[in-house]
Amino acid sequence: LAERRAEAAERAAPRPAALAPGLPAARMLLGSACAAQKRNEEAETAYRAALALAPGYGAAWENLGSLLAGQGRFEEALAAFAAAVERGTAGPSLWAARGGALLAMARPVEALADFDRVLEARPGDAGMRWNRGFARLLAGDYEGGWPEFDWRRHDARAEPPWRRFAQPTWTGEDIAGRTVLLYAEQGLGDTLQFVRYVPLVAERGGRVILEVQRPLLGVLSGLTGVERTIARGDPLPDFDLECPVMSLPRAFGTTLDRVPAAVPYLRPDPRRAAAWNERLADGEGLRVGLVWAGNPRFPGDALRSPRLAGLRPVLDVPGVRFFGLQKGPGREDLERVDMPPSFTDLGPEIADFADTAAIMANLDLVISSCTGPAHLAGALGVPVWVVLPLAPDWRWLLGREDSPWYPTARLFRQTRVGDWAEVAGRAADALRGLALTTSG
């Protein structure tokens, strides 16, 4: 297990269990081997078998808590962590796991207390500093959050490893006449959100080389202030300074009341937009785009993606023409959900993000889960309704229906973990009102 050889650990686990049937550690290690392979039900059975042998086994309670938290069973997870503490098991690993659960329950202030405990014991833990940055940003503490968020670049456990350059990182100092490499580092949505800072760098006199994910080349080709745009992985030209785009908010001293939110900062290709206007022209009613699933490889995607079934009530609103914008994973939902005549699947016709942008320019509204299309709609200045899990990503903050990042966004939040029906019901009611207002 320590070598991350979960399958080998699982094969080895039955031997100590057979030699010492009363040994709870054997069951717990089997559980951890199953958990590492995402076989949660078997892992839970093994952990509970260990606890049946030794109810006071604090480490098993801690591992069970982490497993339950990963499944969104947060109250059960907190109860398991409490049981571990009662049995005398308390330390950095428990505090980290409990803090992560509290953060996933949208309780960032309590999570910070646990992350602080971890850092008292392990002050150089870059991953925990990064987690603390997430918590501060989610709570709206941008001033305290950005420096912590930058610790992500020092996390040796990150996969893939963070890039290292010989050139120094730009942190907001005078840049006139110098060439800076601004580069994408995480998801497509992250890039779409933070390229808003690129023109601001150019306004300070910097010559900008922008490196982005290849799927975004088309939609970002007309971004103001860029001297040259290249795809990640292509040869890099000479440059003097470097800065990941997600570190630009810190370089510009962004606070909650000073977010650069002028939209649109991206624009569709005029010819593609005109072509899609002809394609979507026939018919009456509001034109609404729909995206229902994110990247399944993203940690926690099962909690943040409503899938098509979760948003199905929205499709029953009369006076609306719906257009499916879903690409890649999630399209299989179309085979499982009964769709109304008002729905048109555009997915097979969408070649790239530039196509998606051109379509969005011809829509009255986009409804999306927290994925790249939501950021694209916001960057284009298109009205967008974002459906969010109980504990959203930090950029959506807490307890508000608007976003300081996107003036055209409206947020629909879960009130209970996993309950998309209530969210879809509120969105459907709002859409019904919008359709009536528009038709009147």
Side-chain angles (χ1 to χ4, degrees), residues 5 40 44 91 98 101 173 221 246-247 262 292 308 316 323 395 412 418:
R5 296 166 56 201
N40 295 332
E44 182 176 352
R98 186 173 61 188
E173 67 273 15
S221 61
M246 295 187 76
S247 290
W292 55 85
L308 187 53
D316 291 328
F323 298 95
R395 72 203 74 211
F412 292 80

Side-chain angles (χ1 to χ4, degrees), residues 37 77 116 206 209 226 303 356 380:
Q37 298 174 77
D116 287 345
I209 306 298
V226 180
L303 294 177
T356 303
L380 293 166

Side-chain angles (χ1 to χ4, degrees), residues 127 309 324 327 348:
K327 295 287 291 181

Side-chain angles (χ1 to χ4, degrees), residues 165-182:
F165 296 99
Q167 293 87 341
T169 300
W170 183 64
T171 58
E173 67 273 15
D174 179 41
I175 199 175
R178 308 185 77 186
T179 299
V180 58
L181 172 69
L182 305 179

Side-chain angles (χ1 to χ4, degrees), residues 281-337:
D282 294 337
E284 298 181 354
L286 285 176
R287 295 188 286 197
V288 177
L290 197 65
V291 181
W292 55 85
N295 182 353
R297 295 189 300 273
F298 181 85
D301 184 68
L303 294 177
R304 74 169 186 167
S305 287
R307 308 298 301 225
L308 187 53
L311 291 182
R312 180 60 181 81
V314 174
L315 295 169
D316 291 328
V317 176
V320 179
R321 297 166 60 205
F322 294 97
F323 298 95
L325 307 181
Q326 187 72 41
K327 295 287 291 181
R331 289 193 49 76
E332 64 274 15
D333 293 3
L334 290 166
E335 301 173 4
R336 305 168 184 162
V337 179

Side-chain angles (χ1 to χ4, degrees), residues 29 31 51 60 85 101 129 144 181 198 201 288 328 342 355 388 397 421 437:
L29 290 170
L51 290 168
V85 172
R129 292 289 295 267
L181 172 69
V198 172
V201 177
V288 177
S342 59
D355 257 343
L388 296 172
L397 300 165
T437 301

Side-chain angles (χ1 to χ4, degrees), residues 84 115 136 147 152 173 242 304 345 392 395:
F115 295 155
R136 290 190 185 280
R152 69 194 186 283
E173 67 273 15
E242 59 88 12
R304 74 169 186 167
D345 177 24
R395 72 203 74 211

